[in-house]
Amino acid sequence: MDRRENQTPQGQTSRVLVEFLEVAITTLVFLKGVYPSGAFERRRYMNVVVQRALNPHLRYYIHATVSGLLPFLQKGMVERVALIFYIADNVPLEKFVFKIAMNLSYGSAVEEVDLESSLRSFLIKLSISESLTKELPPDCRWEITAYFRSLPETGSSKEANLWIPTDTKQWHQPPLITPIKSMSIEPLCLQLYLEHPSLSESML
C-alpha cells in the first residue's frame, strides 16, 4: 500500500478507525454472550479495559474483515459497518451499526489525541450500556457486514475480492433504533446505534 496515501488525514484517521472497530466489535460479541466469557481475555486499549478473543479463528475473522475495509474507508466508500445477530433463515435479530462519514476534502492535520479521546468514549459507553446485555437465543449466529456507498469493482484489488453479497434478510417494517453514541471530529463523523425489529415485525 502506498505509504504516502497513509499520511493523508483520511488515511491516518482510517487506520485508527479500523483498529477501533476491531476492538469495539470484539467487545460487543463478548457483551452479547455469544461465547463463554473464558473465550476472551481482558486487555487495555486507549486506556480502557476491553476484551480480546483468545480463539485464533475468531480473532482472525474480526481482524481480517475490519482490516479489509481500510482502503475503502480512506476513499469514503464505506457508509456503515454492522454487527448483525440473526436467527434461523438468516432473519436479523438485532444490528449494531457504525455509521461512517469521511470528509474527503479535509486537508489539515489530524489531532490524533482528540480522535482517540472521542473513540475512547465509545468504548466506555459500550461497557455500561444496558441495551447490550439482553440475552440472545442459543441458536443465534452473527456476521460483520459492510454497506458501501459505491461497490468496489471485483478484481480491482485483493481487498475488493474479499467482499461478497450477504444472505441476511431485510425486515419488512422500519426497525426500532436506539442511539448509543456519536462523535464528530474532522475528518470523521461516527455514529453507533442499535437496530431491532419493530413490534409488528416481531409478530410476523
Side-chain angles (χ1 to χ4, degrees):
M1 190 176 296
D2 191 338
R3 186 174 179 82
R4 288 173 297 177
E5 184 181 26
N6 288 348
Q7 299 307 310
T8 65
Q10 294 74 22
Q12 183 181 355
T13 301
S14 295
R15 290 196 311 278
V16 176
L17 179 59
V18 161
E19 193 176 79
F20 160 79
L21 286 172
E22 181 177 348
V23 173
I25 289 173
T26 303
T27 299
L28 285 168
V29 172
F30 168 80
L31 290 173
K32 295 306 297 183
V34 180
Y35 306 104
S37 59
F40 301 85
E41 63 178 355
R42 290 160 61 92
R43 289 288 183 94
R44 277 198 172 271
Y45 174 72
M46 294 184 177
N47 206 29
V48 177
V49 176
V50 296
Q51 300 293 329
R52 177 178 182 267
L54 290 173
N55 184 288
H57 299 291
L58 173 60
R59 192 165 64 242
Y60 175 79
Y61 167 68
I62 297 174
H63 172 76
T65 303
V66 177
S67 296
L69 288 171
L70 179 59
F72 310 114
L73 288 168
Q74 293 179 115
K75 298 173 184 175
M77 296 173 65
V78 181
E79 180 182 20
R80 288 169 290 157
V81 177
L83 174 62
I84 305 177
F85 295 92
Y86 56 95
I87 52 179
D89 299 325
N90 293 330
V91 177
L93 189 62
E94 61 183 17
K95 303 178 184 180
F96 290 90
V97 182
F98 295 87
K99 187 174 182 180
I100 301 164
M102 188 73 71
N103 182 359
L104 298 180
S105 64
Y106 183 76
S108 302
V110 174
E111 296 295 335
E112 198 160 313
V113 172
D114 294 339
L115 175 61
E116 291 186 357
S117 177
S118 296
L119 292 174
R120 184 186 304 119
S121 67
F122 276 75
L123 298 174
I124 295 172
K125 184 71 173 180
L126 287 183
S127 65
I128 61 176
S129 294
E130 294 182 4
S131 61
L132 310 184
T133 59
K134 295 178 182 177
E135 190 172 346
L136 296 173
D139 59 344
C140 183
R141 295 177 292 164
W142 63 277
E143 70 177 17
I144 301 169
T145 299
Y147 298 83
F148 291 85
R149 290 184 174 85
S150 58
L151 291 176
E153 294 184 11
T154 303
S156 61
S157 67
K158 179 180 66 175
E159 292 85 359
N161 294 334
L162 295 176
W163 293 93
I164 60 174
T166 180
D167 293 326
T168 301
K169 296 180 179 178
Q170 301 298 314
W171 290 313
H172 297 92
Q173 303 294 328
L176 299 174
I177 296 178
T178 303
I180 297 175
K181 188 67 178 174
S182 64
M183 59 157 276
S184 179
I185 180 169
E186 291 286 9
L188 176 67
C189 288
L190 181 65
Q191 296 179 340
L192 171 60
Y193 54 88
L194 173 65
E195 288 186 0
H196 47 276
S198 64
L199 293 178
S200 58
E201 182 87 28
S202 302
M203 293 185 289
L204 292 178

